[in-house]
């Protein structure tokens, strides 16, 4: 009898060995560089979502989270410090385990439009957090006051959500803020007085398209603010305090679509103003001559008000077309109709 070729035996032994090795290896450090506690927190986030079409498909159990889509780990400590995920059509809520990623510096959730609920309070444990971008989701309820505990925050974006209630005055505690986006929500009440007293840097303020009411607090007049957008709210009364020729940082002021009512004649514009939109209000008086000397002014919209008198000419005024000025009470002169002689 001829001996069979022994190869199949060795081969199957080899296959057996291989299979056993791959079966054992998950329990022997399959997480790779991923810190087990970070892994657990991330799995908590994944499990609170109904995943359809998203970065989270790459979050496979028992693999190295530092290689998952949307995750970055610090190169020295291997702790997760950056969460930047794209969610597609995913539904669900933000898990409170988000607060168990203590080294996070940046949270950016993109296209999480179907994710609702609220911001978990556990987020206040993230003492390194600088960027919190939860824009364009379906988060609701009041904007949490506990956000003022994120002392290192520089960028906050909660725009395009369904937040209601008033703006927490305590956000002005945040000393390193560079930008606050609360626009396109359902916020009511008035702009907090405390927003005129940012103790550190003055952040760019985006509060447009809410239901904010009342007058603009006088305190805001002291801010050498770079960018302020209060458009499309229900603000009333005076806004002239926002204009100060000594505010050299101010480049963008948008107050359009409110019910503001003040005399523009005596306003002194910030020197470096680039964008001024006061359209759709009840502003009266005339346009100050000085406006023509604003070298950086590129966008001017003061239509749909109650302004009167001659539009300044010369200087930089040839930049602006009639649409900048139309639908006022009795503005006249180029580029509108010429002023009638008395
Ligand atoms: C969140 O959305 C789900 C449907 O996806 C709904 O059943 C639930 O009531 C919503 N929760 C909140 C707080 O809006
Ligand atoms: C907060 O920021 C300051 C200044 O940038 C830094 O010195 C400090 O270490 C930060 N704190 C945390 C917990 O990251
Ligand atoms: C705001 O913060 C101050 C201290 O910074 C605290 O006394 C006050 O209770 C806080 N208000 C709210 C509504 O959280």
């Amino acid at each position: 009898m001829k001996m069979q070729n022994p190869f199949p035996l060795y081969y199957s032994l080899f296959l057996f060995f291989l299979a056993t090795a791959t079966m054992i290896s998950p329990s022997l450090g399959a997480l790779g560089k991923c810190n087990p506690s970070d892994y657990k927190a991330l799995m908590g986030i994944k499990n609170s979502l109904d995943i359809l079409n998203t970065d989270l498909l790459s979050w496979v159990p028992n693999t190295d989270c530092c290689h998952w889509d949307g995750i970055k780990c610090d190169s020295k400590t291997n702790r997760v410090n950056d969460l930047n995920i794209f969610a597609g059509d995913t539904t669900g809520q933000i898990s409170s385990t988000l607060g168990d990623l203590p080294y996070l510096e940046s949270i950016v959730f993109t296209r999480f439009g179907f994710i609702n609920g609220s911001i978990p309070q556990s987020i206040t444990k993230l003492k390194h957090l600088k960027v919190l971008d939860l824009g364009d989701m379906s988060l609701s309820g009041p904007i949490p006051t506990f956000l003022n505990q994120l002392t290192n925050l520089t960028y906050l974006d909660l725009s395009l959500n369904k937040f209601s209630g008033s703006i927490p005055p305590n956000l002005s505690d945040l000393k390193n803020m560079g930008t606050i986006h609360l626009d396109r929500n359902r916020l009511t009440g008035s702009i907090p007085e405390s927003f005129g007293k940012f103790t550190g840097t003055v952040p760019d303020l985006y509060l447009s398209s809410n239901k904010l009411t009342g007058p603009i607090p006088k305190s805001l007049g002291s801010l050498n603010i770079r960018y302020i957008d209060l458009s499309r709210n229900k603000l009333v009364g005076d806004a002239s305090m926002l204009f100060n020729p000594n505010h050299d940082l101010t480049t963008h002021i948008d107050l359009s679509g409110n019910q503001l009512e003040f005399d523009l004649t005596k306003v002194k514009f910030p020197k470096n103003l680039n964008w001024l939109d006061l359209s759709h209000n009840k502003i009266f008086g005339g346009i100050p001559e000085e406006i023509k000397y604003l070298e950086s002014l590129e966008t001017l919209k003061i239509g749909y008000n109650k302004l009167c008198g001659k539009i300044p000419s010369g200087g930089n005024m040839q930049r602006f077309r009639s649409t900048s000025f139309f639908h006022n009470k009795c503005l006249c002169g180029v580029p509108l109709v010429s002023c009638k002689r008395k």
Side-chain angles (χ1 to χ4, degrees), residues 37-278:
S37 151
D38 289 353
Y39 173 83
K40 205 173 148 200
L42 291 168
M43 274 299 169
I45 293 172
K46 183 181 175 181
N47 292 336
S48 70
L49 302 171
D50 301 313
I51 297 148
L52 294 174
N53 168 27
T54 150
D55 276 350
L56 301 176
L57 289 174
S58 69
W59 295 22
V60 176
N62 294 315
T63 57
D64 184 350
C65 69
C66 295
H67 294 305
W68 294 351
D69 289 341
I71 307 286
K72 284 196 187 114
C73 295
D74 182 89
S75 59
K76 291 191 189 111
T77 63
N78 293 327
R79 299 305 297 260
V80 173
N81 61 8
D82 191 305
L83 192 58
N84 185 341
I85 44 181
F86 174 81
D89 296 329
T90 300
T91 61
Q93 274 84 39
I94 306 177
S95 166
S96 64
T97 65
L98 181 61
D100 299 331
L101 295 163
Y103 293 90
L104 266 187
E105 290 174 19
S106 174
I107 300 173
V108 180
F109 284 178
T110 307
R111 287 276 309 280
F112 267 73
F114 297 107
I115 291 178
N116 61 11
S118 50
I119 302 176
Q121 180 149 16
S122 62
I123 206 171
T124 56
K125 290 190 277 181
L126 305 178
K127 296 303 177 198
H128 296 277
L129 199 64
K130 295 193 174 82
V131 174
L132 180 60
D133 182 350
L134 304 177
D136 201 359
M137 301 176 70
S138 294
L139 302 176
S140 59
I143 291 182
T145 54
F146 57 68
L147 293 178
N148 77 332
Q149 294 171 40
L150 296 170
T151 50
N152 269 10
L153 211 58
T154 61
Y155 183 93
L156 175 65
D157 188 347
L158 302 179
S159 63
L160 260 171
N161 277 287
K162 296 172 180 168
F163 287 111
S164 55
S166 53
I167 300 174
N170 278 1
L171 288 183
S172 65
D173 297 347
L174 296 167
K175 290 192 171 50
N176 300 306
M177 282 310 279
T179 306
I180 296 183
H181 271 282
L182 303 179
D183 46 298
R184 291 171 288 174
N185 278 289
R186 299 167 180 179
L187 301 171
T188 54
S190 48
I191 299 170
E193 175 81 26
S194 64
F195 273 32
K197 293 165 194 153
F198 280 97
T199 43
T201 54
V202 178
D204 295 351
L205 265 185
Y206 297 78
L207 304 180
S208 72
S209 302
N210 280 292
K211 298 172 183 170
L212 300 172
T213 52
I216 298 170
K218 289 258 178 300
S219 59
L220 262 63
S222 63
L223 295 180
N224 192 352
I225 193 167
R226 197 186 71 87
Y227 192 114
I228 185 165
D229 183 356
L230 308 180
S231 65
R232 295 164 195 255
N233 279 290
K234 297 174 178 172
L235 301 167
V236 299
D238 191 12
S240 61
M241 74 298 229
L242 293 177
F243 299 91
N244 184 327
N246 300 320
H247 288 172
D248 56 338
L249 299 179
T250 303
T251 61
H252 189 114
I253 299 180
D254 190 345
L255 308 176
S256 63
N258 282 287
Q259 291 148 36
L260 297 165
E261 204 165 3
F262 60 95
D263 186 352
L264 193 64
T265 318
K266 296 181 193 108
V267 160
K268 300 253 185 293
F269 297 106
K271 288 192 255 317
N272 297 316
L273 203 57
N274 169 261
W275 178 293
L276 178 63
D277 190 347
L278 301 176

